[in-house]
Amino acid sequence: MANKEIPYKIYLTEEEMPRQWYNIRADMKNKPAPLRNPGTHEVMGFEDLRPVFCDELVKQELDNDTPYFDIPEDILNFYKMYRPSPLVRAYELEKKLDTPAHIYYKFEGNNTSGSHKLNSAIAQAFYAKHQGLKGVTTETGAGQWGTALSMACAYLGLDLKVFMVKCSYEQKPFRREVMRTYGASVTPSPSMETEVGKAMNAKFPNSNGSLGTAISEAVEVAVKTPGYRYVLGSVLNQVLLHQSVIGLETKIALDKYGVKPDIIIGCAGGGSNLGGLIAPFMGEKLRGEADYRIIAVEPASCPSLTRGRFAYDFADTGMVCPLAKMYTLGSGFMPSPNHAGGLRYHGMSPILSQLYHDGYMEATSAVQTDVFAAAEDFLRCEGILPAPESSHAIYAAIQEAKKCKETGEAKNILFGLTGTGYFDLYAYKAFNDGTMTDYVPSDEDLEVGFATLPKMD
Amino acid sequence: MANKEIPYKIYLTEEEMPRQWYNIRADMKNKPAPLRNPGTHEVMGFEDLRPVFCDELVKQELDNDTPYFDIPEDILNFYKMYRPSPLVRAYELEKKLDTPAHIYYKFEGNNTSGSHKLNSAIAQAFYAKHQGLKGVTTETGAGQWGTALSMACAYLGLDLKVFMVKCSYEQKPFRREVMRTYGASVTPSPSMETEVGKAMNAKFPNSNGSLGTAISEAVEVAVKTPGYRYVLGSVLNQVLLHQSVIGLETKIALDKYGVKPDIIIGCAGGGSNLGGLIAPFMGEKLRGEADYRIIAVEPASCPSLTRGRFAYDFADTGMVCPLAKMYTLGSGFMPSPNHAGGLRYHGMSPILSQLYHDGYMEATSAVQTDVFAAAEDFLRCEGILPAPESSHAIYAAIQEAKKCKETGEAKNILFGLTGTGYFDLYAYKAFNDGTMTDYVPSDEDLEVGFATLPKMD
C-alpha cells in the first residue's frame, strides 16, 4: 500500500533518471538461445554479426552476463528532451470502473514519434554515429519505429533509409511525411532497389509488402553499402536492453511512493515494450527477491506466445537475417488484412520467449473490437488517445481491475501505455462506424505458417 | 542569470501548480471596451449575454476588477491529468544557432488535443455542466479547439455539437474522427441545420465555409436549443483568464531557477495562447514592477495587429454575436486559401488589442515558408513536430536569438510552443515538396475587409 498521497502523474527529476540500462539476461538461469546462421545453422559470434550491426550493438547483443551498461552522456541528454516519461495514476479510470484496484500506467507517448521506440532508436543511432558510420537502414510497418529513428538520425546528422511496408506507405501518408520532414528517405517495400525486392515484385506483382520483406531489403542495402549498418526496433536483445529504461524509471517512481505492483501488463508484438517495462521487476523475480504476476497481451490475430511454437525461425522473409529461437508463427505467417494495429510480427523476443517458456510470465490474447472498446473507455476518462497496440494492455488491465471489483481486492495494477493513436484514426473510424471485424486464425491457418519453419537438427 | 543548473525540462509538482487564474484586466488602466449588441450597439450586460454563455462564464467575461479567480477542484483535477506542462530549456536549439541567448519554451502540446486549447475547454465545459446544462455548441476551424472541447465534454458527460468549417471537415478527416471518438457530433459548416447555414448555402452553393459562418451556426443552435449554450476557444476575456494558467506555471518555474525572461514571444490568432502566456508578466509590467519585451507574431497573410484597425467589429459572419472592439481586418476579410495553419481569425482579443494599442507589447508578422523553415530547424534538433501556429513563435524566437549572437548578449528568450503538428502534415508535405507559397495581402485586399466594419457612432 502507498505510504503517501500519489499524484496524478509521477515525474522523476533529471537527477533521479536511470544512468544505466539493465540487462535482464544477466539474471536468467536459462539464457536466450544464440542467433544462428540462416544457411549453415552455426552459432553466430561477433565477427559474423559485424557486417550487419555496428560493433557496440553486437557486443550488447551477445552479452548475457553484464548486468548493467552505462548509458552514454549523449544518449542521456537526448533522453532528457522527452524523458522521464510520466508514471500516471489512472484515478479517473478507477472511478469509471468503480474498482478498489489502483491502476498505474507508464506513458511513453509524449514525444513526436508517439511511442517508446525512441528509447532504442537514439541508442542505436548514437552507436552508429560513434563508429563513424554514414548512415543506417531499417524497415517500418505501422511507422512508429521509422518515425522514432528518423528523429534520432536527424538529431545526430546520420543518413537514414527506411523501407516502409507498401500498404502502410500508401495508407499512412502522414507517417511517411513525418519521416521525410526529419530528413529520412522513405521507400515503399517491396521496392526495385534490392534483389529481394525485385524477386518479390516479380513473384507477386501487386504485393502489399510485409515486415519480413522490408527487413530483408533493409539488411541487403546495409550490407552492400559501405558505411551503413542495419538497425531494428524490436525482438533483439539489444533493444530490450535499451528499453529497460522504461521499467527502471517506473520502479524508481513506484519505490518513491512505496508502491509494489501486484500485476504488470504489457502489449507484446516483438516484445520491445514489454521486455523494457518488466525488466527490473523480472530481475527481482529471477533473483527470488520479489514476486509479480506478469502478463503479455497479444492480438488474437497474431498469437505468437499463446499459440506459436518455441523454435528456431527466420527473422525475415528473405531469410538473410540470423535465425532466432523464439515463440513464432513461422516467417510465412500472414497477419489478416483486417488487423488494424502493429503487433503483427510472426515472432517474439528470444528473451521473453525463454522467460515465458520457463514459466516466469503469462500470456493472453484479445480480439481487436474488444481492444478498441477498451481504448474508447480509457480515452473518454483519461483523455489520452491510445495506440491500438497499447490498447491491448489497457484491455487486460481493465479485465484485472474488474476482477478486483468482484473480489474486493485493492491490487496495484501497472501497465505500459506505449504510445498514441494519432496516426491510427482510420482504425478508430472503422470502430466508430461499426465496420471493424475480428479475425482469429484457425489451427489450419496456423499450420501454413508453421510449415515455413526451418528444419533444424 | 540563472543561479542553479537548469534541467532540460522544468516540471512543477502538483503542489506547485497554480490554484487560481489571473485576470489581467484588474491591472489594466484602460480596460478592454465592453461588448455591444450587434443591432442596437448598446453595451451588453449580464442578462444580455446569459442566453448565449453560461452564467459563471458571463460573470468572468464582464469582470474587469477581480484579480484572481479560484480554479474549481474538478478543473484542477482535470488539469492534473495533462498539466503541469513542461517548461523546456532549448539547449539543442541554442547549440544549433550557436547563440549566447538562453531559450525557453512552454510546451502545451502534451495532450491528445495537441494544444493549449484544453485549458479553457475544460473550464467552459465544467461551468456548463455545473449549471445543469445538457450540452454545448461550438465551431472549429483547424480543429484544435473542437478536439479539446470534445475531450472535456467526454470527461464530464456533456453533449457537444461542433460546426466544423467545411474545407477542414473534408481535408482533416482525422481531426473529425478524434472528435467523434470522444463522442462529439460534428457537422460541416455551412450546414442545412441552421438559418444562417441555409442562407449561406443558398447564396454560395459551393462554399468552403469560414470560421465566421461556423460561429454563427453554433450560436444559433445554442440559443434555440433548451439546455444548450455556446462556447468559444479564443478572443473572449474568459478564455484569456483560463489560459493564464500557462503563464502562471511558466513564471513559477522560472522563478524557481531565478530566471527572468528579457523577451516573451507568442503566436497570435485570436490571442488565447499569447494572452495566457504573458498574463503574469504583463501584470508586473502594468503594475510597474518589472519590464519585459513582449512580442506577438502573426501570419503575414492575416495581419490583424500589424495592419488591422482598432475598431468595433462583428465577431462572426452572420452578425449574431456581440460586437467587440479589437484590432480587426473586418469580418468580411477572407484569408488566402494557400494559408496552411490556424491563426486566420479576422480579429484579435480585445484585451490584447487594448494592451497593444497602449504600447505594452509589440507585434510582427511572418510569411509561412519562413515559418515552416523555422519549424524544420526546430524539430530536427528539439525533436518536437510543432503546429504551424506555434511555429510563428519559433520563427521570431530564432530571429531574436540570432540578434543575440551578433551582439553577444545572453538574453533570456521565452516563447510559447502551443501545440503539435500531427494533423498538419499536408502542409509539411507542401513545404517538403517545395510547393508551398506565400501570400501577403495588398492594401487593396485589406480594404475589402475594412468595408465590412460596422458603422458606429
Side-chain angles (χ1 to χ4, degrees), chain A residues 122-356:
Chain A
I122 184 61
Q124 295 191 49
F126 168 79
Y127 289 118
K129 184 78 182 176
H130 199 244
Q131 191 172 321
L133 298 177
K134 192 172 175 303
V136 291
T137 69
T138 200
E139 78 294 330
T140 200
Q144 287 184 344
W145 168 247
T147 312
L149 193 63
S150 66
M151 285 177 69
C153 288
Y155 177 77
L156 293 166
L158 202 62
D159 284 352
L160 170 61
K161 186 160 185 64
V162 180
F163 288 90
M164 187 169 188
V165 177
K166 196 190 270 171
C167 62
S168 294
Y169 182 91
E170 283 160 5
Q171 286 166 16
K172 294 197 164 186
F174 284 6
R175 275 285 183 200
R176 182 181 76 207
E177 215 49 51
V178 177
M179 290 185 260
R180 281 186 68 204
T181 304
Y182 280 106
S185 123
V186 187
T187 306
S189 166
S191 75
M192 293 305 280
E193 297 181 17
T194 66
E195 297 310 314
V196 170
K198 282 179 206 163
M200 193 58 77
N201 275 318
K203 202 167 161 192
F204 306 107
N206 296 313
S207 166
N208 282 324
S210 74
L211 214 45
T213 302
I215 293 175
S216 302
E217 291 205 86
V219 172
E220 184 181 324
V221 170
V223 171
K224 286 184 178 167
T225 314
Y228 275 72
R229 291 294 186 284
Y230 168 70
V231 296
L232 177 66
S234 193
V235 184
L236 296 173
N237 298 340
Q238 60 190 265
V239 175
L240 266 71
L241 175 70
H242 308 146
Q243 294 294 358
S244 69
V245 71
I246 303 172
L248 292 165
E249 277 187 8
T250 304
K251 187 150 189 343
I252 294 167
L254 286 174
D255 284 349
K256 268 174 82 167
Y257 288 89
V259 176
K260 186 180 168 301
D262 298 293
I263 307 173
I264 305 170
I265 298 168
C267 62
S272 68
N273 150 68
L274 180 67
L277 175 68
I278 66 175
F281 302 100
M282 183 61 89
E284 289 189 328
K285 190 165 174 168
L286 289 167
R287 296 190 302 270
E289 296 165 9
D291 197 19
Y292 304 97
R293 237 188 105 198
I294 295 175
I295 307 174
V297 193
E298 55 186 15
S301 57
C302 190
S304 57
L305 281 176
T306 48
R307 298 177 65 197
R309 295 199 182 151
F310 188 43
Y312 267 101
D313 193 11
F314 300 104
D316 62 328
T317 312
M319 304 176 185
V320 298
C321 288
L323 297 171
K325 189 174 179 190
M326 54 188 178
Y327 276 87
T328 180
L329 299 165
S331 63
F333 174 80
M334 276 291 164
S336 154
N338 81 344
H339 176 74
L343 309 181
R344 56 169 79 205
Y345 187 64
H346 63 277
M348 176 61 65
S349 143
I351 292 176
L352 294 181
S353 293
Q354 188 66 50
L355 289 167
Y356 178 62

Side-chain angles (χ1 to χ4, degrees), chain B residues 20 56 77 117 119 133 142 153 166 172 180 183 188 191 220 239 252 308 315 325 338 360 362 376 380 387 392 433 457:
Chain B
Q20 296 185 308
E56 199 58 36
N77 284 341
K117 295 281 184 186
N119 301 329
L133 296 176
C153 288
K166 197 191 271 172
K172 295 196 165 188
R180 280 186 69 204
S191 76
E220 185 181 321
V239 175
I252 295 167
K325 189 173 178 190
N338 80 344
Y360 288 102
E362 307 167 29
E376 204 158 280
R380 289 192 181 182
H392 288 76
D433 292 344
D457 305 328

